[in-house]
Amino acid sequence: MNKKERAAKINTILTEMYPDVACTLNFMTPLQLLLATQLAAQSTDVQVNVVTEKLFQKYKTVEDYAGADILELEKDIHATGFYHNKAKNLKACCIKLLTDYNGEVPNTMEALITLPGVGRKTANVVLGEIFHVPGFIVDTHAGRLSRRMGFTRQEDPAAVELEMMKVLPKKDWTMFSHRLVAHGRAVCKARKPGCESCLVRPYCVFGQNEEVPTCRKKSK
């Protein structure tokens, strides 16, 4: 069975396991999603949602962020970690939105990645959720599972994205990445993957490794 066939089988199983899967960041506008996704770097969606509940009440427009006092903004997002860089990028991102995009979140990958703090992962989240443009979103879970399942050996997120795009139909890129995230959180965890109860194990390279029947790497 080749990679495309295995990906199709896994996608079918994960669709049945996680029928209501979706982006787990809370947002109401494209701007909110753009900024929340940036805050989620090196943090959790749960923590970001706690922070943005107050943040989005305090800063309502792109002008609010662009004109924000940087030290005050740092305090407002402190709990997400790396708050110095994140605050700087959020402010600079909104300034660029005003100067280059009339205050609107752009709808292309090429435009989005010109914004400070925005890489391909954030751009793909915005494109998929707001503009319904398929893209494979590579967070830590999606990257880990893509490698374990034998679809790629790449560590670089952009390289993982490109390889996954080759084994999946374009229409499935966004939702398959969401399903990998859900499966990574629930079953295929980083330290102790639950292969013994995993329904996709028959199509997973890592799960089929006979030398590690419990899917815990042997110490060397």
Side-chain angles (χ1 to χ4, degrees), residues 134-148:
F136 191 83
I137 303 159
V138 184
D139 75 341
T140 54
H141 298 289
R144 181 177 73 251
L145 269 65
S146 296
R147 287 185 290 274
R148 281 183 177 168

Side-chain angles (χ1 to χ4, degrees), residues 88-131:
K88 179 182 70 175
N89 284 333
L90 260 58
K91 183 178 175 74
C93 176
C94 288
I95 290 173
K96 190 170 181 65
L97 286 176
L98 287 171
T99 57
D100 292 1
Y101 300 105
N102 297 315
E104 300 293 328
V105 176
N107 62 359
T108 68
M109 172 66 73
E110 293 74 17
L112 283 165
I113 61 176
T114 68
L115 300 172
V118 176
R120 292 188 64 88
K121 172 195 167 184
T122 296
N124 274 324
V125 172
V126 172
L127 290 172
E129 295 297 318
I130 301 298
F131 301 109

Side-chain angles (χ1 to χ4, degrees), residues 7-23:
K9 291 286 188 180
I10 291 172
N11 190 36
T12 297
I13 294 169
L14 294 183
T15 300
E16 294 175 354
M17 291 179 66
Y18 310 105
D20 301 318
V21 71
C23 176

